[in-house]
Amino acid sequence: MIKTELLDLPNELFPLIFQYLNSKNLIQTFFNVQSNRIQILIQPFISHLDISQETNQWIQTYLPDILNQQNVLALRLHAKQITLILPYVLLSKIQSMHIFDSHWSTDTLKQGLDQFGQRLKRLSITFTDPYGQGDLASHLFQRYCQLEYVNITGRSLFFGNNEISTCTKLTYLSVELEGMHRVFILMQNLPNLQQLKVKFRIEERMIQPTCYFKNLISCNTLQRITFTGCTRYFEHLSHFFATFGSTIQCLTINIDLMYNAIDGVRLERELLNKMQCLASFDLIIHSILAHRESIGINTFQTLSWRKFNPIVYWNDIHAHQHTIFTLPYRSNTFKHLSNDFHSSCASNREVFLYFERVRTLSLLVTTPLTLETFEFIAKSFPNIKTLELTNPIELSRGELKQNRTISLLSDVFLSNNTLQLPSIVKFCFLLRSHFDNYQILRRFLHLLPNLVYLQMFIGRSLFHEILKYEREDNFVRSALNRIETLQTVNFYDEKNILTNEETHNLFPNAKKLFHGGDTEVIKSNATSHQHVIVLPNKITVVFVMTSKTLLFDLPNELFPCIFQYLSAIDLLKIFADDKSHRLQTLIRPFISRLDISRESDEWVQNHLSNVLTQHEIVHLRLQSNHLTLIEKHLSANNIQSMQMVEFDASNDNQKQMLDRFGGKLKRLSFVQPEPHEYDNLASLLFRSDSQLERLTLLDYPLYFSVDDIEPCTRLTHLSIVLEGMSSVFVLIQHLPNLQNLKVTMFSQECIVQTPPDIKDVKPCSKLRSVTFKGWIKYFDHIESFFATFGSTIEYLSMDIDCRYYVFNGKKLEHVLLDKMPCLSSLDLIIFSPLANEDSIEIETFKSFSWQKFNPIVYWHDVHAQQHMIFTLPYKSDRFEYFSNEFVSTCVSSQTVSLCFDRVRTLILTNTTPFNFETFLFIEKVFPKVETIKLTHWIIDLLDEDEHENEDHQNVAVMNDDVLADTSLQIPSVKELRIDLSSPFKDYKAFRRFLQIFPNLISLKFQTEQSLLHDILQHEQEDKFIKTALARIEQLDIAFEDEKKPWTDAEIRQLFPKVKNIVKQYTREFGGA
């Protein structure tokens, strides 16, 4: 087998590889490689240089040359290295620095700040010893300081009123402080601060001074505030917002409020009412207060609270704790969840409890933990990685004694063997009781099947219990073998701590042992030719770097990044004969979904049987004529999903094969790139014995009658093309458990669609999501649909062409919203290209019913008589028939910011010549558009005014201001299609398009040979046109039928690098 060398990989893969290498590895491996390509590729990865783990010798050897030759903008270092690097840094371009400090004293750090602090724009300091000196403020906040960003973590700063100077450039500050009075000192000296993050640290016995300053001026630039940590003084927070709240737009509070529990009335009075500009509010307040009644959730139901995210409150009466938070829950930690959450949780409006950001969950044991609590965790905390068990914080002696005697787990949960939490990899057992219970340990090991990190006290009694059951209970032995990191807890009986040998017997694969603390010591014995790389999952890989590294020397974590560039069939062809169990395991997820639709019949006959036998293929995409070649293998295989390309319903063999095994599939889809009809297919698909759960029929309509189909009880998802709403009604009556329906309407101008028969039709109780696309010829038919089936619909998406009809907000509210009481999500695109009516009043979309959903945008092109209504965010990847009129006529039901970041194809119509403002608008609001298509707007086939049509055809493509400009460019566009109603032959406009789209590689247009002659004539004197045409790789060109057509060779003279030429000859032109 041919092996690929590392330097043969494409450029796109190197960033994926470089992210696993630190700055030292990159520099030592590639810094002296004489390849301009490699030096350019590594530049972004060493512009932010990390030398914090490097030796003094390494710094003296490499750092001077690096700073001299590379554009290093940011440096990460340890405080002890400051003296060594000072001579080099002062001569460099470094603007940002991140300093780690583990010393109690800050003398070295202060010396460095005095030397280079006024040169930096961004500074971060991380203290690993929280109890050291905090006297940095006077060296940070100096009069001529250039800092714009400061982030200090790990230690509180201590300073007085006269110890810092005014800093006018600082706009971002994140800091840890003790008390609000120091926040006021900072605000007094930071007049241009925009974002402030403060973590409060509190000493139990210290009284914090009142925050009062005379003649304090409010900061008129302050917009974002984050308060975290712990405080006893809510009145200090109240004073802050009364002083500085007038400009705050975004507020985050995540605090432990000692000895206070605040209700909605006080929060509204002392916080919300002080911040008139507040637009975003995230709140988590955790209070521990004995003998306090529950907070009334009704205090959060005023109009002021309705403007912000929902409020949730819960109270654990056993632990005396009160918690208030907003949804969505923004923190990655959820503290002190207990059984009482279910019974006491209340909210100020209807909510769905889902904590997808939480990674660490702390469980409080006040009553035996129940099965319902863990089921709630499995449902509502899908991404937690760490689970902690802790005791309540504030309990009386009697309560504490009683708490130690309660059972940890309920009998129901202890006996349950089905529930598991696979996302959790770390478990911290921090209780002061039950730590020696074998059955409890076993249940948690079963609950957490992917556990690799255990923090727990393992005493002798538990040790002997494990050994006692080890022979008869293989599960516990297997679970303990999975543990890679063990952190022992030493606050129990010191005499019963296990020896290292005993610990190793229990946890043979635990590579790192911690005793008491969380400090990890990593030792490297790598030689000068080895590079140690610590990957994200803490696996250490040693690269032995020769002049070139072979592909198979890469770590496992990189192969998925490489495999994503290869199809499943390519992977099989490359690695099928490799005997490496490692590689076969790595490729397995990438070949479970196999596409053989482009393979020859010979390959399918010779190889596919072995592939299906040796690999677990669950999805297969194939040409329908392949069915007969692999018939005997399909019936014995585990394939549950299939996609058929070009299924021929007139072919009896293919229909027989579908009839034979189609009923065993759970998912089936058909793709018809060529015009094949689905006649006679319905009776094979919709059968009473069908196991199908999802069915997709794309591209062409399915025709059937009531007698052709049978009830299918398993089908829940259906995507289909139909002609007329009558077929939709027939289908729903035969699919009682349908949940998700997507219908593309196929309509023909001269075909009358019969109205749906609504007699004796019953609503579908399971239907939740509906999507309609295509031309809706009769809107009253769609009204019947929502009147009949709308009662259960929660999500509706419509991207439809209503052709001759346009609807205002009142009409759509009556037809859609009023019929769907459960609707929670609405995405609309309604295009009316032939509606000769006045503009819609946007006020009709400002009713209370419309305010529940996304904003409505409307625009109208009077020249083309077209109207368009859509919601924001715009969900389609196409925006059709955009013209100059959009900028001048666009209105919305709410204040919006227009940005169509999902749009990849933009279709332009020149109802008037495109002006410069329109292209500027496209550049701004369509940032990811890749294809521009220039076409004619839709014209009524019954319009007989030939003179008016001729005037439309003669409209210029672009204005003189666009032609005269040479600066505007839209670099995202790679494909240009020109498909007008008459041949495009404007050389100046063609040349300007090539300038506007500098990365154009695909060109498709209809023209006359005169345009090519003009290009050929200007090519010699116009170097730009020659360079631009040399970029084109794909060319599709249509000529009028002329006597002397251009040959491929002549076309390649103009387009020398084109890989594929498609030529057409036609007498008539018509825009699509």
Side-chain angles (χ1 to χ4, degrees):
M1 179 172 56
I2 298 175
K3 290 188 176 182
T4 303
E5 294 181 342
L6 180 64
L7 298 184
D8 294 330
L9 295 175
N11 288 355
E12 292 79 6
L13 279 181
F14 277 95
L16 301 173
I17 297 173
F18 290 165
Q19 70 181 354
Y20 290 95
L21 301 168
N22 59 30
S23 304
K24 174 184 177 180
N25 300 144
L26 280 170
I27 290 167
Q28 292 187 201
T29 306
F30 296 108
F31 190 65
N32 293 319
V33 174
Q34 302 301 314
S35 168
N36 187 51
R37 170 193 174 219
I38 294 297
Q39 295 306 316
I40 292 173
L41 287 170
I42 68 169
Q43 174 58 46
F45 292 87
I46 61 175
S47 63
H48 290 63
L49 188 60
D50 182 1
I51 63 169
S52 59
Q53 303 294 324
E54 307 309 331
T55 63
N56 291 349
Q57 182 181 357
W58 189 95
I59 292 173
Q60 291 173 325
T61 303
Y62 289 100
L63 191 61
D65 290 338
I66 295 169
L67 296 181
N68 184 44
Q69 298 177 27
Q70 300 289 338
N71 189 27
V72 178
L73 303 176
L75 194 62
R76 195 169 187 255
L77 68 155
H78 197 279
K80 64 185 180 182
Q81 299 167 327
I82 288 177
T83 306
L84 184 64
I85 67 158
L86 268 177
Y88 315 129
V89 171
L90 293 176
L91 300 176
S92 70
K93 299 178 182 179
I94 293 174
Q95 300 178 355
S96 175
M97 200 171 282
H98 187 173
I99 304 173
F100 291 86
D101 195 340
S102 58
H103 296 106
W104 182 86
S105 171
T106 57
D107 292 344
T108 304
L109 192 56
K110 289 186 289 188
Q111 178 189 355
L113 291 176
D114 290 338
Q115 290 288 330
F116 53 70
Q118 295 187 6
R119 298 167 48 89
L120 300 175
K121 292 185 177 181
R122 296 172 65 93
L123 175 65
S124 297
I125 301 175
T126 300
F127 291 99
T128 56
D129 180 3
Y131 302 108
Q133 291 180 332
D135 55 350
L136 280 181
S138 60
H139 299 266
L140 280 172
F141 306 107
Q142 303 179 47
R143 182 174 303 278
Y144 300 106
C145 174
Q146 301 298 307
L147 285 170
E148 301 171 2
Y149 173 104
V150 172
N151 182 10
I152 313 294
T153 58
R155 186 180 297 179
S156 296
L157 295 187
F158 297 91
F159 52 89
N161 192 26
N162 299 317
E163 293 183 35
I164 64 175
S165 302
T166 301
C167 300
T168 58
K169 292 185 179 294
L170 195 65
T171 60
Y172 177 100
L173 176 63
S174 180
V175 68
E176 297 184 18
L177 300 173
E178 185 174 303
M180 183 64 74
H181 64 288
R182 290 194 171 92
V183 178
F184 275 72
I185 296 174
L186 286 172
M187 296 301 301
Q188 194 175 22
N189 290 277
L190 305 177
N192 295 314
L193 192 65
Q194 298 176 17
Q195 184 167 352
L196 174 65
K197 295 184 177 181
V198 178
K199 181 178 181 180
F200 291 109
R201 172 188 171 193
I202 189 167
E203 296 291 347
E204 182 70 23
R205 295 182 177 85
M206 292 184 64
I207 298 175
Q208 295 177 1
T210 305
C211 317
Y212 180 74
F213 294 85
K214 292 182 178 180
N215 304 321
L216 186 63
I217 301 175
S218 176
C219 179
N220 60 11
T221 59
L222 190 63
Q223 297 178 359
R224 303 176 70 91
I225 291 290
T226 299
F227 287 144
T228 60
C230 183
T231 182
R232 286 186 290 174
Y233 303 96
F234 185 79
E235 59 271 19
H236 292 182
L237 290 176
S238 176
H239 188 194
F240 175 87
F241 293 112
T243 308
F244 303 108
S246 60
T247 61
I248 295 174
Q249 299 176 11
C250 179
L251 173 63
T252 299
I253 295 179
N254 183 359
I255 59 172
D256 289 336
L257 188 60
M258 299 175 64
Y259 316 126
N260 284 279
I262 310 298
D263 65 8
V265 174
R266 186 175 178 188
L267 283 170
E268 181 179 348
R269 181 178 67 248
E270 301 185 21
L271 265 68
L272 301 190
N273 292 346
K274 310 300 182 186
M275 294 176 280
Q276 302 88 345
C277 299
L278 191 64
S280 174
F281 185 28
D282 294 310
L283 179 68
I284 303 174
I285 298 180
H286 182 71
S287 305
I288 299 177
L289 184 64
H291 312 300
R292 170 66 157 89
E293 294 182 357
S294 298
I295 296 173
I297 193 63
N298 59 313
T299 61
F300 293 95
Q301 292 179 337
T302 63
L303 183 61
S304 296
W305 285 108
R306 289 279 176 179
K307 299 177 184 178
F308 302 105
N309 289 335
I311 294 286
V312 179
Y313 163 74
W314 77 286
N315 171 29
D316 190 319
I317 58 175
H318 302 92
H320 314 305
Q321 68 175 21
H322 305 260
T323 303
I324 301 166
F325 59 86
T326 49
L327 284 179
Y329 189 87
R330 303 290 187 184
S331 175
N332 63 359
T333 301
F334 195 100
K335 296 181 180 179
H336 311 315
L337 180 74
S338 72
N339 289 331
D340 285 4
F341 187 90
H342 302 280
S343 58
S344 66
C345 181
S347 60
N348 65 346
R349 69 185 90 156
E350 188 175 346
V351 296
F352 177 64
L353 293 172
Y354 193 68
F355 306 91
E356 62 180 347
R357 294 194 181 192
V358 173
R359 298 297 182 270
T360 300
L361 175 63
S362 175
L363 267 180
L364 198 65
V365 182
T366 54
T367 57
L369 296 174
T370 64
L371 178 62
E372 291 73 16
T373 296
F374 284 101
E375 287 177 338
F376 174 75
I377 293 172
K379 178 182 178 182
S380 301
F381 295 87
N383 300 318
I384 53 172
K385 300 296 183 184
T386 300
L387 178 66
E388 298 177 351
L389 292 186
T390 60
N391 291 114
I393 298 175
E394 292 288 335
L395 293 181
S396 65
R397 290 186 178 180
E399 290 173 325
L400 185 59
K401 183 177 181 180
Q402 182 181 359
N403 181 260
R404 289 181 178 177
T405 61
I406 66 171
S407 299
L408 176 58
L409 305 178
S410 68
D411 293 339
V412 174
F413 176 66
L414 196 57
S415 61
N416 176 274
N417 288 318
T418 57
L419 180 65
Q420 290 188 320
L421 303 176
S423 66
I424 297 175
V425 296
K426 181 178 179 180
F427 178 49
C428 306
F429 193 104
L430 305 178
L431 300 177
R432 294 179 177 266
S433 59
H434 305 293
F435 51 82
D436 55 354
N437 190 307
Y438 174 80
Q439 294 301 328
I440 289 176
L441 174 63
R442 189 186 192 284
R443 183 64 190 95
F444 276 109
L445 291 176
H446 190 277
L447 178 72
L448 313 175
N450 295 318
L451 186 67
V452 295
Y453 190 126
L454 178 63
Q455 181 181 1
M456 185 177 180
F457 176 77
I458 308 290
R460 293 201 176 278
S461 60
L462 181 58
F463 173 69
H464 291 304
E465 285 288 303
I466 294 173
L467 294 181
K468 175 182 176 181
Y469 291 105
E470 186 175 27
R471 293 183 180 180
E472 59 191 54
D473 193 351
N474 292 330
F475 166 74
V476 171
R477 165 48 55 201
S478 176
L480 296 181
N481 287 346
R482 289 199 309 267
I483 304 301
E484 298 177 2
T485 302
L486 175 67
Q487 181 175 351
T488 59
V489 179
N490 291 344
F491 53 63
Y492 303 113
D493 186 356
E494 297 284 347
K495 297 180 180 179
N496 285 319
I497 295 178
L498 301 182
T499 65
N500 284 343
E501 183 179 354
E502 290 171 325
T503 304
H504 182 71
N505 288 337
L506 285 186
F507 304 93
N509 297 316
K511 300 177 183 177
K512 306 179 180 94
L513 296 178
F514 299 79
H515 294 284
D518 290 331
T519 304
E520 177 181 359
V521 180
I522 302 176
K523 296 183 178 179
S524 174
N525 296 319
T527 66
S528 59
H529 296 290
Q530 296 178 341
H531 303 292
V532 179
I533 305 163
V534 181
L535 301 176
N537 57 1
K538 295 187 178 179
I539 296 175
T540 301
V541 179
V542 180
F543 270 112
V544 180
M545 301 298 294
T546 56
S547 58
K548 292 187 178 181
T549 299
L550 297 177
L551 178 64
F552 291 93
D553 294 329
L554 294 175
N556 289 354
E557 288 71 19
L558 279 181
F559 277 93
C561 303
I562 297 173
F563 289 165
Q564 69 181 352
Y565 288 85
L566 300 170
S567 66
I569 199 70
D570 291 333
L571 286 169
L572 281 172
K573 292 178 179 179
I574 296 171
F575 298 110
D577 296 331
D578 193 279
K579 302 303 181 183
S580 167
H581 177 71
R582 170 199 176 210
L583 285 178
Q584 295 305 315
T585 303
L586 287 170
I587 69 170
R588 187 176 298 136
F590 293 87
I591 61 174
S592 62
R593 305 177 62 84
L594 187 61
D595 182 359
I596 61 168
S597 59
R598 298 184 180 180
E599 302 305 317
S600 65
D601 291 353
E602 180 182 1
W603 189 92
V604 171
Q605 285 181 308
N606 294 337
H607 299 285
L608 188 59
S609 60
N610 291 333
V611 171
L612 296 178
T613 303
Q614 298 175 14
H615 301 279
E616 188 175 345
I617 308 298
V618 297
H619 172 82
L620 192 62
R621 188 178 192 266
L622 72 166
Q623 288 284 340
S624 299
N625 64 320
H626 290 159
L627 290 172
T628 55
L629 302 178
I630 57 173
E631 175 183 357
K632 61 181 180 180
H633 302 288
L634 291 177
S635 58
N637 201 266
N638 294 323
I639 295 174
Q640 299 177 358
S641 174
M642 189 173 291
Q643 186 177 69
M644 299 187 188
V645 180
E646 294 183 347
F647 185 87
D648 186 359
S650 63
N651 187 305
D652 291 338
N653 288 334
Q654 292 186 22
K655 288 198 296 183
Q656 288 174 8
M657 288 293 298
L658 179 61
D659 185 42
R660 189 171 306 161
F661 68 84
K664 300 178 181 179
L665 298 173
K666 291 185 178 181
R667 296 189 179 195
L668 179 61
S669 60
F670 295 84
V671 179
Q672 306 290 63
E674 301 298 331
H676 289 262
E677 292 189 352
Y678 291 124
D679 289 343
N680 305 318
L681 191 58
S683 59
L684 298 177
L685 296 174
F686 300 102
R687 304 186 323 196
S688 58
D689 61 345
S690 173
Q691 302 297 305
L692 281 175
E693 298 173 2
R694 295 172 181 257
L695 176 62
T696 302
L697 294 98
L698 301 176
D699 303 319
Y700 292 93
L702 179 71
Y703 295 97
F704 56 88
S705 64
V706 178
D707 298 331
D708 291 334
I709 63 177
E710 298 174 354
C712 299
T713 58
R714 294 182 180 272
L715 196 64
T716 59
H717 290 67
L718 176 63
S719 181
I720 196 169
V721 182
L722 297 173
E723 184 167 353
M725 189 61 68
S726 179
S727 300
V728 178
F729 275 67
V730 173
L731 277 177
I732 293 181
Q733 290 302 290
H734 288 80
L735 306 175
N737 294 313
L738 189 64
Q739 299 174 18
N740 188 308
L741 175 65
K742 295 182 180 181
V743 179
T744 300
M745 282 296 175
F746 176 76
S747 299
Q748 302 182 66
E749 189 72 45
C750 302
I751 302 297
V752 177
Q753 297 174 2
T754 57
D757 183 5
I758 61 176
K759 185 179 179 181
D760 299 327
V761 173
K762 298 179 181 179
C764 181
S765 61
K766 300 294 181 65
L767 192 60
R768 297 288 183 268
S769 176
V770 172
T771 300
F772 283 125
K773 294 184 177 182
W775 175 13
I776 305 294
K777 193 171 185 179
Y778 303 99
F779 203 77
D780 56 330
H781 294 185
I782 210 168
E783 290 185 51
S784 299
F785 175 87
F786 291 113
T788 307
F789 305 110
S791 61
T792 61
I793 295 175
E794 299 174 2
Y795 171 78
L796 174 63
S797 176
M798 296 177 64
D799 183 356
I800 59 174
D801 181 345
C802 284
R803 201 56 58 106
Y804 303 101
Y805 307 102
V806 63
F807 308 99
N808 62 23
K810 290 182 179 179
K811 174 69 173 177
L812 289 174
E813 182 177 343
H814 172 70
V815 173
L816 301 180
L817 305 190
D818 292 349
K819 303 298 188 294
M820 292 177 282
C822 299
L823 191 65
S824 60
S825 177
L826 175 64
D827 295 312
L828 282 183
I829 302 174
I830 301 180
F831 182 58
S832 305
L834 295 173
N836 189 13
E837 297 187 23
D838 294 334
S839 297
I840 297 172
E841 294 295 331
I842 194 62
E843 284 73 18
T844 61
F845 290 97
K846 294 183 178 180
S847 67
F848 180 74
S849 295
W850 283 108
Q851 293 298 317
K852 300 177 185 177
F853 303 104
N854 288 335
I856 296 287
V857 180
Y858 163 74
W859 76 286
H860 174 210
D861 190 318
V862 294
H863 303 282
Q865 300 177 3
Q866 68 183 24
H867 304 253
M868 188 175 182
I869 300 165
F870 58 88
T871 50
L872 283 180
Y874 188 86
K875 298 295 181 67
S876 175
D877 63 350
R878 293 169 61 87
F879 196 105
E880 299 187 294
Y881 302 105
F882 180 90
S883 71
N884 287 330
E885 300 296 311
F886 185 94
V887 181
S888 58
T889 65
C890 180
V891 291
S892 61
S893 61
Q894 303 174 31
T895 302
V896 297
S897 175
L898 291 173
C899 185
F900 304 92
D901 56 357
R902 296 194 183 192
V903 172
R904 299 297 183 268
T905 300
L906 177 62
I907 300 176
L908 306 178
T909 57
N910 57 322
T911 54
T912 57
F914 288 112
N915 55 44
F916 189 69
E917 289 73 20
T918 295
F919 282 107
L920 282 175
F921 184 80
I922 293 172
E923 178 195 23
K924 178 180 179 181
V925 303
F926 294 94
K928 298 179 181 178
V929 62
E930 297 177 354
T931 299
I932 294 284
K933 181 178 180 181
L934 183 62
T935 189
H936 199 278
W937 62 94
I938 298 175
I939 298 176
D940 192 343
L941 296 177
L942 302 178
D943 189 350
E944 298 179 354
D945 192 343
E946 295 182 1
H947 296 291
E948 184 177 353
N949 285 341
E950 288 179 4
D951 292 340
H952 289 166
Q953 294 177 10
N954 293 326
V955 174
V957 171
M958 57 181 66
N959 241 335
D960 290 340
D961 59 347
V962 181
L963 291 171
D965 174 75
T966 58
S967 60
L968 176 65
Q969 290 187 330
I970 306 178
S972 64
V973 175
K974 298 179 180 179
E975 180 178 20
L976 174 63
R977 301 179 183 181
I978 304 176
D979 191 14
L980 299 171
S981 56
S982 59
F984 178 75
K985 49 188 177 182
D986 187 340
Y987 171 77
K988 291 183 178 180
F990 180 76
R991 187 185 189 280
R992 186 67 188 101
F993 275 130
L994 295 179
Q995 286 180 321
I996 295 175
F997 309 132
N999 295 320
L1000 197 68
I1001 58 174
S1002 177
L1003 184 60
K1004 179 179 180 179
F1005 63 110
Q1006 300 173 346
T1007 186
E1008 292 180 353
Q1009 293 194 21
S1010 59
L1011 176 61
L1012 297 187
H1013 287 298
D1014 288 342
I1015 295 173
L1016 196 61
Q1017 179 181 349
H1018 291 87
E1019 183 187 26
Q1020 301 301 325
E1021 58 192 42
D1022 191 347
K1023 293 183 179 179
F1024 165 76
I1025 195 74
K1026 186 174 183 178
T1027 303
L1029 295 183
R1031 290 197 306 264
I1032 304 300
E1033 299 176 4
Q1034 173 69 39
L1035 180 65
D1036 190 332
I1037 187 168
F1039 297 105
E1040 283 189 330
D1041 188 9
E1042 299 184 7
K1043 295 181 179 179
K1044 294 183 178 180
W1046 279 49
T1047 65
D1048 285 0
E1050 291 174 317
I1051 293 176
R1052 288 187 185 277
Q1053 287 183 354
L1054 293 180
F1055 303 91
K1057 293 185 179 180
V1058 68
K1059 299 176 181 177
N1060 189 20
I1061 298 176
V1062 178
K1063 288 190 299 182
Q1064 303 175 46
Y1065 296 93
T1066 180
R1067 293 183 180 275
E1068 298 180 359
F1069 288 83

